[in-house]
Amino acid sequence: MHIMNFSGFGRLAFGISFFSVGAFAAANIYETLEDNFQKSTQTWVQAQNQTSLAWFNAGPGKSLLEQEVSDSLRSGGTLAYSNIIQGKIYANFNRILKRIDADRFAAPEKDWEEFLNISALENLIGPGFKYRDRNCFLPDQVRCLISFSVSGSDKIVMREYDRTIQNFVSGGFELPLGKSTFAWFDADTILVGADLGASSVTTSGYARQVRLWKRSDPIANAPIVFEVPKNYVGLEFKPIVTSKVSTVLIRVFQTLWKTEIYGTVSDPQGFRTFPIAFPKSVLDFNAVGDTLIGYMTADESVGGTVLKTGSYVEIPLTEGSSPSLAYFLDPSLYPRYVLQAATQDRLWISFFDDVHGKLATLQKVSGSWQLNIINMPKFGVVGMKAGDAFGDQVMIRHSTILEADQYYRAEIKSGKPVLTLVAKDTPHADPSLMSVEQFKAKSKDGTWVPYFLIRRKADIGKAVPTVMYGYGGFGSVVHADTLNTWFPFYLKSFVSRGGAFVLAGIRGGGEYGEPWHQDGIRMKRWNNFDDFFAVAEDLIAKGATTSKQLGARGDSNGGILMGVSMTNRSDLFSAVVIKHGLFDMVRYTQMADAGPSWIAEFGDPADPKELAYIQSYSPYLNLVPGKTYPPVLMTTATNDDRVHPSHMRKAHAKLMELGSESIFYESAVGGHGRTDPGYRKLESAMELQFFMEKLGLAI
């Protein structure tokens, strides 16, 4: 999900239910469904799952759809998640992380050096643990802090691993399950923020204290060297290692959209921190040499001068330094900053121009920063991993809606950026048979909302079964977050059979920069919904589909959008899918630890004015007797500790009581955005079958 992560659901289809309506009322089942550990909750979930699986298994395309989804999930080349560190490319070969000199990237796999065997690590730590990430001590990378999740949860355990002996370090660093953050400070010391009790975490469940933990000492004895107020969101570490500097910075989130940055230093007086005078609207930053450079997401005063959104600010990485304007990336020309990666002498930037991905470099020449834009194909998204801080290379992934993903090694030759194609995926459908068009729909307040319509060329001019996807939150660009995840199986299994798919870039997202985001959150949330409805109406007016053929899909934050679509515009949609979605917005801050961290996005239910506004749209509150709702499929996971599964449980239970058609499935494995492969295949095939059945597309 795009909701922040540091290191961000009625009667079932056949009218069968485990509890009667009277039993729900007598047992107050809605509230008890918020308790994962209550036996009645577990029994209820198992009963709903059995009925839902019976529906799915009886469907005409179960095996075929599961196979097609599996094929789509297996795609994504070896270099899909590669990066470059100290001149070597790291890539995942069937769960074995390998590396090779960057200029030898085309060598056969047998020539690559094994770095970490992920499956072996999971076997070493034991059943139920899944590899999450690594943090290896530079430059030799022999000792690594390895994090593992349990069934996809946001919580992790950490163990120190020695690559030489291929085993965990006896008496090494080790953290129990929790929302921890950590970074190497030196070979025998780490900085750690861990859940060691209520006083050590924020109200959102993230670390608020930093401890300086030396090898062989119990963590309880490690001194607290830094802490933030309990009502902040949390903190994390950002190691900075370049040819000119090696240090660890602390990034503090006051809210999701306001940060503080601190440097760390160990001198004869001991360990201490110092503030780095970045504007609070700098959410992300990188180091070019010994200079930090970051992008401002809001207007803010810097040194007595108000700098605008889109300003890149630089500051030397020394105590007491002052920030200054490096470059202004005019939001009216380049409206959406997305990603940045630093190499030894420049910043690589990925951004959007009218929702089309662009790539550029920002380099300091003769004392001033210069922007160099690199042309990329239309309808694309430019992704990148961390650049080589000791060289000039970075790995680029270019994804388009129809074409196969392409992977490039970007470097500087004769002073100019050069992209060399490293690998290319296999398309999920024949691009020559497909069409992608960009349109704009006029929303209720007159705002023009962009959307992409994907269909077969042969279906242009016809009304066909169509699925609309919307998210509209946290500044996420809708197609940037879908092209490399679940969209491929819609292209392969739905569009190729004669359906259409729509990506709606509604407000609350980041399609046109931070103003677009701000215009769809908190007390402007209805803009988000009105935009989505405007796109649906535009599709119908164009003759591309009909309300009987139109479905809507949303996940996570998009669960709110789907719920409001059900409760307010059931005339537009004939089927809805919600995956791991938010639904009860009156209680969202109380249903999961992370809930309070989202107040900057959704508003505070404890504030009477904001509560009244939230009540006007909260889907769970607005499910009422006497209304007809479209059929809905809801999926979630017991271990989703970001968006609590009870959002979907309670929605399904209430719809069941109201006599509405609902299918619910809850997985015992997987979490939020870290889904077990088996569950992901099942969940994805279920939603395809559901939409095909309800919208009239033959399997």
Side-chain angles (χ1 to χ4, degrees):
M1 171 178 185
H2 320 82
I3 286 177
M4 185 175 187
N5 175 42
F6 287 111
S7 315
F9 291 152
R11 182 179 58 190
L12 296 176
F14 301 106
I16 303 172
S17 65
F18 182 70
F19 288 100
S20 68
V21 172
F24 277 113
N28 194 17
I29 191 66
Y30 300 152
E31 183 176 336
T32 60
L33 287 175
E34 294 182 9
D35 186 348
N36 279 355
F37 303 103
Q38 188 156 202
K39 182 64 176 177
S40 62
T41 299
Q42 298 169 1
T43 302
W44 181 87
V45 167
Q46 292 169 4
Q48 312 313 308
N49 284 354
Q50 289 174 5
T51 304
S52 299
L53 288 174
W55 159 79
F56 177 60
N57 292 332
K62 173 186 179 296
S63 298
L64 178 60
L65 292 175
E66 283 190 318
Q67 184 59 54
E68 290 178 353
V69 168
S70 183
D71 291 343
S72 297
L73 296 178
R74 278 200 299 267
S75 66
T78 299
L79 297 174
Y81 302 102
S82 62
N83 58 356
I84 300 179
I85 302 174
Q86 296 178 320
K88 292 183 180 292
I89 289 183
Y90 290 71
N92 190 327
F93 292 84
N94 297 316
R95 309 196 82 233
I96 298 178
L97 189 65
K98 298 186 176 185
R99 64 183 179 181
I100 198 168
D101 290 341
D103 58 0
R104 298 185 59 223
F105 64 88
E109 181 184 346
K110 65 181 181 63
D111 293 343
W112 288 60
E113 173 197 359
E114 181 173 323
F115 186 77
L116 278 178
N117 187 316
I118 295 172
S119 296
L121 282 170
E122 291 175 347
N123 290 335
L124 193 61
I125 194 169
F129 291 94
K130 295 296 181 182
Y131 172 84
R132 172 71 62 82
D133 205 354
R134 71 188 190 278
N135 185 334
C136 299
F137 184 71
L138 294 170
D140 57 11
Q141 299 194 83
V142 171
R143 293 285 179 92
C144 299
L145 305 176
I146 308 292
S147 56
F148 301 87
S149 68
V150 179
S151 297
S153 165
D154 280 350
K155 296 180 179 179
I156 60 169
V157 299
M158 182 271 281
R159 298 287 298 274
E160 184 181 5
Y161 180 80
D162 189 308
R163 292 181 50 249
T164 303
I165 63 173
Q166 298 186 26
N167 207 339
F168 297 125
V169 177
S170 178
F173 295 113
E174 181 175 348
L175 285 174
L177 188 66
K179 291 182 178 179
S180 303
T181 180
F182 42 82
W184 292 100
F185 190 69
D186 60 39
D188 294 307
T189 312
I190 68 173
L191 293 174
V192 60
D195 184 351
L196 300 179
S199 64
S200 67
V201 296
T202 66
T203 53
S204 298
Y206 296 103
R208 61 175 289 263
Q209 297 175 338
V210 175
R211 292 175 181 263
L212 189 68
W213 188 12
K214 293 187 178 296
R215 186 179 301 282
S216 301
D217 286 349
I219 189 172
N221 293 348
I224 297 171
V225 294
F226 181 86
E227 61 184 321
V228 300
K230 196 168 180 64
N231 64 348
Y232 276 25
V233 171
L235 58 81
E236 65 178 0
F237 303 112
K238 182 152 184 172
I240 301 293
V241 181
T242 73
S243 59
K244 295 184 177 181
V245 66
S246 178
T247 189
V248 179
L249 304 183
I250 303 172
R251 174 163 47 186
V252 173
F253 288 86
Q254 293 182 0
T255 71
L256 284 182
W257 314 117
K258 290 184 179 180
T259 65
E260 301 169 3
I261 311 297
Y262 294 85
T264 62
V265 65
S266 183
D267 55 25
Q269 286 72 47
F271 177 90
R272 58 190 174 82
T273 63
F274 61 90
I276 294 175
F278 254 153
K280 287 182 169 42
S281 65
V282 171
L283 302 182
D284 199 10
F285 56 88
N286 287 83
V288 177
D290 56 2
T291 299
L292 294 181
I293 182 166
Y295 179 88
M296 292 175 56
T297 59
D299 295 354
E300 194 171 342
S301 178
V302 176
T305 301
V306 175
L307 298 184
K308 297 291 186 180
T309 301
S311 296
Y312 273 96
V313 177
E314 64 175 322
I315 186 170
L317 193 48
T318 52
E319 190 170 359
S321 296
S322 298
S324 60
L325 176 65
Y327 192 88
F328 179 56
L329 197 66
D330 189 343
S332 66
L333 299 177
Y334 313 107
R336 169 60 180 164
Y337 155 79
V338 183
L339 294 170
Q340 60 185 40
T343 52
Q344 64 179 350
D345 66 349
R346 71 196 66 209
L347 198 65
W348 294 76
I349 306 166
S350 163
F351 59 93
F352 283 99
D353 181 3
D354 199 19
V355 209
H356 297 277
K358 301 288 186 181
L359 179 65
T361 62
L362 194 60
Q363 182 187 21
K364 201 167 191 176
V365 179
S366 300
S368 63
W369 291 86
Q370 296 180 4
L371 188 73
N372 185 358
I373 296 178
I374 304 165
N375 291 324
M376 305 295 287
K378 291 182 67 176
F379 303 118
V381 177
V382 179
M384 65 182 82
K385 297 287 279 186
D388 186 358
F390 294 86
D392 62 6
Q393 302 177 91
V394 63
M395 291 299 296
I396 303 291
R397 180 178 189 173
H398 187 254
S399 308
T400 60
I401 292 175
L402 297 181
E403 300 290 338
D405 288 356
Q406 299 184 69
Y407 307 94
Y408 297 91
R409 183 183 63 154
E411 59 188 330
I412 304 300
K413 291 184 177 180
S414 301
K416 294 183 179 180
V418 175
L419 271 61
T420 302
L421 184 65
V422 174
K424 184 176 182 178
D425 285 351
T426 302
H428 299 280
D430 186 346
S432 68
L433 302 178
M434 300 293 166
S435 166
V436 55
E437 301 163 278
Q438 183 179 13
F439 298 105
K440 292 185 178 181
K442 193 174 184 179
S443 192
K444 185 177 181 179
D445 65 356
T447 300
W448 289 96
V449 181
Y451 68 92
F452 291 108
L453 172 59
I454 303 104
R455 53 188 169 176
R456 299 185 306 190
K457 291 177 181 177
D459 294 323
I460 294 176
K462 301 177 184 178
V464 300
T466 299
V467 173
M468 280 181 61
Y469 175 74
Y471 186 78
F474 297 88
S476 295
V477 179
V478 65
H479 66 302
D481 293 320
T482 59
L483 295 189
N484 299 321
T485 51
W486 49 263
F487 174 73
F489 65 73
Y490 266 93
L491 189 61
K492 183 181 183 71
S493 300
F494 193 83
V495 179
S496 294
R497 284 186 168 88
F501 197 84
V502 173
L503 295 163
I506 60 179
R507 280 174 285 183
E511 281 74 7
Y512 294 111
E514 189 58 21
W516 193 256
H517 168 226
Q518 292 293 328
D519 211 25
I521 66 174
R522 296 196 83 144
M523 301 290 280
K524 295 184 178 180
R525 196 76 186 181
W526 270 102
N527 289 340
N528 176 294
F529 314 137
D530 289 335
D531 289 358
F532 195 70
F533 303 153
V535 172
E537 291 169 338
D538 197 58
L539 288 166
I540 294 170
K542 279 183 168 64
T545 191
T546 66
S547 61
K548 296 295 184 184
Q549 298 171 297
L550 186 57
R553 180 197 191 278
D555 50 47
S556 193
N557 164 79
I560 309 167
L561 176 64
M562 296 301 102
V564 175
S565 297
M566 293 172 62
T567 58
N568 285 267
R569 292 305 305 269
S570 59
D571 60 307
L572 285 177
F573 304 101
S574 292
V576 173
V577 167
I578 310 173
K579 301 175 69 169
H580 297 248
L582 288 163
F583 211 83
D584 183 355
M585 297 309 293
V586 173
R587 285 180 50 77
Y588 83 89
T589 57
Q590 304 171 57
M591 293 167 68
D593 287 345
S597 70
W598 309 329
I599 286 174
E601 186 80 8
F602 301 126
D604 188 354
D607 179 289
K609 183 178 180 180
E610 291 199 297
L611 174 61
Y613 188 82
I614 291 169
Q615 289 173 328
S616 75
Y617 70 77
S618 178
Y620 183 68
L621 185 65
N622 286 283
L623 289 174
V624 295
K627 292 187 68 174
T628 301
Y629 302 108
V632 59
L633 165 68
M634 288 175 277
T635 60
T636 186
T638 305
N639 291 305
D640 187 339
D641 52 0
R642 211 178 310 173
V643 174
H644 198 278
S646 61
H647 282 278
M648 298 288 88
R649 294 173 189 159
K650 291 163 59 179
H652 173 64
K654 195 170 184 181
L655 283 165
M656 188 159 51
E657 182 179 15
L658 294 173
S660 191
E661 184 176 348
S662 176
I663 301 173
F664 171 92
Y665 185 82
E666 179 175 320
S667 174
V669 296
H672 197 91
R674 295 183 179 88
T675 305
D676 174 82
Y679 166 50
R680 189 177 180 191
K681 181 175 70 172
L682 170 65
E683 178 191 47
S684 301
M686 287 179 76
E687 66 174 283
L688 285 168
Q689 179 169 295
F690 177 77
F691 274 135
M692 290 177 178
E693 176 184 299
K694 300 303 178 185
L695 303 181
L697 184 65
I699 296 178

